[in-house]
Amino acid sequence: MTARQNERCDIQIESGRSIKIVPEPNEEQLNEKQLVDYREHRWGFIEWLREKGKTPEKREGYSDYTTYETTYKTARFDRWVWGEEDRYTVPPTPDRATEYIDDVVAYRDVTNATKGKTEEALMRYYRWAETTSHTPPWDREQRFRSGGNDAPRDYLTRRERRLVRETALDTGDGWRVASLVLTSLDTGLRPVEVARARPAWVDVQNMLMQIPKEESSKNTENWRVSLTSRTATALEHWLTERETIDKYGDRDELWLTREATPYGSRSLARLLRRLCDDAGIDTGGRSMTWYAIRHSLGTYMTAERDLKAAKDQLRHKSAKTTMKYDQVPAEDRRDALDNM
């Protein structure tokens, strides 16, 4: 879009409401050249939201109302970043988004639903930025829900955890998938941690996974995460098998896809959906991302032990993050009803 086209700033969506490409509070902080650049940046984002942001492969965009809400919430985030860094920069780094939600939005005197909508707006922002400006993905475990409930959205039940484990052990792909799934069921590895995992992290003898601070997705401290004996055994077999596979010869990743690329959120989600399909698990109406495994670990670790155990196993810096798992799983509540 040319600078002259940029002057047609507003997108009218209904009477009395329009999307401003650059809201006035943002415009006031920019010089002439920065304003031209920021308009280009914002126009690309808004076009993506309206034309294909919801489902890119189907070119399905968001509604005008969702686009309106998203653009204003992300503009407010941009202004906050400029104030923190005392300079103009777009797009902000993913670490800034985490800081903004955890240290600013979390403490606003608004409903959890409002906080969740801000978090979702930033998730859209980084999905777009990742595809257009080589920005690293914001590997975010959503803290707030726009529906107002802080509990994890979707997770595997105890039965489904068992079925996924058994199906992974039944795959005809050696120990790669089995070791990856069993490890994630024990440790709740985030997608970015799956991609960063190295053989050096694995301590089979002591049944631990040791994640160094510099490789942790939250980058706060070294973590020692417990493994079950069956997972340690699967990892031992995988490490032995891995040494015989050519594509790992000059690579340090613990797991690679069949295409010899590191796992990411999408490839892991596809893997989980395939395992669920093969196991006969009905996932209708649920978002089966890799975080469903992590959420199930947090839910049942809290139910079986306590929040402290869940916090340590999930590698949460703050107990507030773990609090969302302090709920009784549906099947346990059902058992309680049967016993009444």
Side-chain angles (χ1 to χ4, degrees):
M1 188 171 67
T2 67
R4 178 170 295 178
Q5 287 174 317
N6 257 327
E7 293 172 1
R8 299 180 298 139
C9 286
D10 295 355
I11 300 173
Q12 194 75 23
I13 59 174
E14 62 181 45
S15 179
R17 175 174 290 182
S18 62
I19 300 171
K20 289 186 70 67
I21 307 303
V22 179
E24 289 181 9
N26 293 62
E27 186 173 347
E28 291 170 356
Q29 296 188 29
L30 304 175
N31 64 36
E32 184 179 353
K33 293 190 290 294
Q34 291 168 342
L35 181 56
V36 170
D37 181 73
Y38 189 54
R39 280 174 177 159
E40 293 283 353
H41 170 80
R42 292 273 294 176
W43 182 258
F45 179 42
I46 292 168
E47 277 195 318
W48 178 85
L49 286 170
R50 302 181 81 201
E51 294 177 2
K52 60 181 179 180
K54 188 173 184 179
T55 312
E57 59 271 20
K58 297 181 180 179
R59 297 194 65 82
E60 180 183 1
Y62 288 104
S63 68
D64 282 340
Y65 181 78
T66 299
T67 301
Y68 172 85
E69 289 289 323
T70 300
T71 55
Y72 276 88
K73 292 181 187 302
T74 53
R76 185 177 184 179
F77 168 57
D78 285 337
R79 291 198 305 273
W80 175 83
V81 172
W82 301 343
E84 290 295 301
E85 300 195 11
D86 195 25
R87 67 187 181 100
Y88 165 72
T89 177
V90 289
T93 64
D95 287 345
R96 282 298 191 186
T98 299
E99 183 181 353
Y100 182 66
I101 295 296
D102 291 348
D103 297 342
V104 179
V105 175
Y107 294 98
R108 284 180 182 159
D109 187 18
V110 295
T111 65
N112 284 336
T114 299
K115 296 173 185 177
K117 289 176 181 177
T118 299
E119 195 169 24
E120 289 168 357
L122 295 194
M123 287 177 167
R124 297 181 193 117
Y125 194 15
Y126 282 96
R127 283 202 303 272
W128 169 73
E130 183 184 355
T131 62
T132 59
S133 59
H134 305 292
T135 301
W138 187 34
D139 190 41
R140 176 72 177 177
E141 179 184 359
Q142 191 167 351
R143 178 173 176 180
F144 300 102
R145 292 187 61 178
S146 58
N149 184 352
D150 286 349
R153 286 186 163 184
D154 296 303
Y155 61 89
L156 301 175
T157 65
R158 285 188 175 92
R159 170 181 171 274
E160 290 168 346
R161 284 174 59 87
R162 175 179 58 79
L163 289 173
V164 166
R165 180 185 297 110
E166 291 172 354
T167 304
L169 289 167
D170 193 37
T171 58
D173 193 24
W175 284 95
R176 176 176 61 92
V177 170
S179 64
L180 168 57
V181 171
L182 267 63
T183 300
S184 295
L185 286 168
D186 282 3
T187 66
L189 287 177
R190 304 174 178 92
V192 69
E193 292 171 332
V194 172
R196 293 175 180 174
R198 300 292 183 262
W201 292 17
V202 180
D203 183 350
V204 171
Q205 184 175 357
N206 294 304
M207 293 189 292
L208 293 171
M209 175 161 274
Q210 305 191 58
I211 305 176
K213 177 176 67 174
E214 58 272 15
E215 296 294 341
S216 170
S217 69
K218 301 305 180 183
N219 198 33
T220 56
E221 58 183 284
N222 298 320
W223 296 102
R224 291 164 54 88
V225 189
S226 300
L227 301 173
T228 61
S229 60
R230 65 200 310 180
T231 297
T233 298
L235 282 166
E236 184 175 24
H237 280 283
W238 168 237
L239 289 172
T240 299
E241 179 183 319
R242 182 182 176 281
E243 293 179 356
T244 69
I245 302 175
D246 290 341
K247 67 182 179 184
Y248 289 96
D250 58 350
R251 303 288 291 270
D252 197 31
E253 293 92 343
L254 181 55
W255 299 288
L256 293 171
T257 67
R258 289 180 178 178
E259 294 75 29
T261 59
Y263 277 97
S265 298
R266 294 177 183 175
S267 55
L268 288 169
R270 287 195 296 270
L271 172 58
L272 180 58
R273 288 194 292 268
R274 177 168 60 82
L275 290 170
C276 287
D277 288 344
D278 292 346
I281 295 172
D282 182 9
T283 61
R286 289 190 289 171
S287 175
M288 280 294 109
T289 68
W290 201 248
Y291 276 110
I293 294 177
R294 182 174 174 82
H295 294 164
S296 74
L297 173 64
T299 298
Y300 293 113
M301 179 65 75
T302 302
E304 293 293 331
R305 290 292 303 275
D306 52 35
L307 281 171
K308 176 63 167 63
K311 175 180 178 294
D312 291 346
Q313 192 70 2
L314 291 171
R315 306 169 303 286
H316 286 154
K317 180 180 179 181
S318 171
K320 290 182 180 179
T321 308
T322 319
M323 283 294 291
K324 65 185 176 183
Y325 297 105
D326 191 13
Q327 58 175 332
V328 180
E331 60 266 38
D332 289 0
R333 284 183 269 123
R334 192 175 300 112
D335 291 343
L337 289 171
D338 289 338
N339 293 331
M340 288 180 183

